[in-house]
Amino acid sequence: NAGVTQTPKFQVLKTGQSMTLQCAQDMNHEYMSWYRQDPGMGLRLIHYSVGAGITDQGEVPNGYNVSRSTTEDFPLRLLSAAPSQTSVYFCASSQNRLGGELFFGEGSRLTVL
Amino acid sequence: GENVEQHPSTLSVQEGDSAVIKCTYSDSASNYFPWYKQELGKRPQLIIDIRSNVGEKKDQRIAVTLNKTAKHFSLHITETQPEDSAVYFCAASDAGGADGLTFGKGTHLIIQP
């Protein structure tokens, strides 16, 4: 049982480039989310989804897009990368809308030059 | 939206002593309060959580207390051990976590031998 899988683990981009961070879970969880982690800032919610076809914005959604076409996958797209998006990104899932434990992926470290 | 304040940002204790980390929240509708532990370079993992209908919860050496009137909750670790060294995050949510947790900025706990 792989849990939550994120790819890539490391990525370097130039300003203005676009890319997609992939996230997949094999636990049949309804709820998935993306957080970014910056030094001294904790974890901040970017976008979340409570089921296939349903997404919503979190605290810091600007510059990011998401979609949820299947229960398993929740990709995060950076439309035009900026240095301010240099961060560690975590995908997380939980069983259902009533929450409980969030299961995190291993993280993706993104550097924008 | 919810705002979670966490103190202290760094806590150094002698091995075997107790450690206490405190958090306050702003939204009186919040009813779910988890604590996550993140070891260096790893993903956050849930260590304990509490819901608003409970004032205290204990799991071996760790305990969480909640004061809804004062809007604060605390993590207590007794008989600290070297493996307790990590960053600890508190969080709050009004939907069991499913609409996204708001995290504190984290406490770096250092266990001195």
Side-chain angles (χ1 to χ4, degrees), chain A residues 31 35 37 97 99 102 104 106, chain B residues 36 38 43 96 98 101 105:
Chain A
Y31 176 79
Y35 286 86
Q37 184 174 31
R97 187 178 183 85
L102 272 183
F104 285 87
E106 291 185 314
Chain B
Y36 283 79
Q38 186 178 30
R43 72 190 85 187
L101 290 167
K105 290 183 168 55

Side-chain angles (χ1 to χ4, degrees), chain A residues 4 31 35 37 40-43 45 48 50 90 96-102 104-106, chain B residues 32 36 38 41-44 46 49 51 89 95-101 103-106:
Chain A
V4 180
Y31 176 79
Y35 286 86
Q37 184 174 31
M41 295 295 293
L43 293 144
L45 182 66
Y48 66 94
V50 298
F90 285 98
N96 55 43
R97 187 178 183 85
L98 294 178
E101 182 173 3
L102 272 183
F104 285 87
E106 291 185 314
Chain B
Y32 176 65
Y36 283 79
Q38 186 178 30
K42 301 289 183 64
R43 72 190 85 187
L46 179 72
D49 58 8
R51 296 188 185 267
F89 294 97
D99 285 345
L101 290 167
F103 284 86
K105 290 183 168 55

Side-chain angles (χ1 to χ4, degrees), chain A residues 13-20 62-65 77-86 89 110 112-113:
Chain A
L13 290 177
K14 294 181 180 178
T15 296
Q17 288 184 318
S18 62
M19 76 156 299
T20 299
N62 292 342
Y64 307 95
N65 271 359
R77 297 183 188 84
L78 281 70
L79 308 173
S80 177
S84 61
Q85 293 179 303
T86 292
Y89 292 85
L110 175 66
V112 183
L113 302 175

Side-chain angles (χ1 to χ4, degrees), chain B residues 1-102:
Chain B
E2 176 66 276
N3 183 49
V4 177
E5 300 283 341
Q6 183 172 348
H7 301 280
S9 56
T10 303
L11 178 61
S12 181
V13 301
Q14 292 290 324
E15 182 179 349
D17 288 350
S18 295
V20 180
I21 303 170
K22 298 182 180 181
C23 289
T24 61
Y25 62 98
S26 61
D27 189 349
S28 56
S30 288
N31 56 16
Y32 176 65
F33 309 93
W35 288 86
Y36 283 79
K37 175 183 179 182
Q38 186 178 30
E39 297 176 355
L40 187 62
K42 301 289 183 64
R43 72 190 85 187
Q45 291 189 296
L46 179 72
I47 55 171
I48 195 166
D49 58 8
I50 192 168
R51 296 188 185 267
S52 59
N53 57 346
V54 176
E56 183 175 359
K57 185 176 178 181
K58 194 171 181 180
D59 183 4
Q60 299 183 336
R61 295 186 299 109
I62 60 173
V64 58
T65 58
L66 171 65
N67 184 327
K68 284 214 73 180
T69 303
K71 290 194 219 152
H72 69 71
F73 56 113
S74 301
L75 177 71
H76 304 253
I77 305 174
T78 59
E79 301 173 8
T80 53
Q81 300 171 3
E83 55 265 35
D84 295 329
S85 292
V87 178
Y88 291 80
F89 294 97
C90 63
S93 169
D94 68 355
D99 285 345
L101 290 167
T102 300

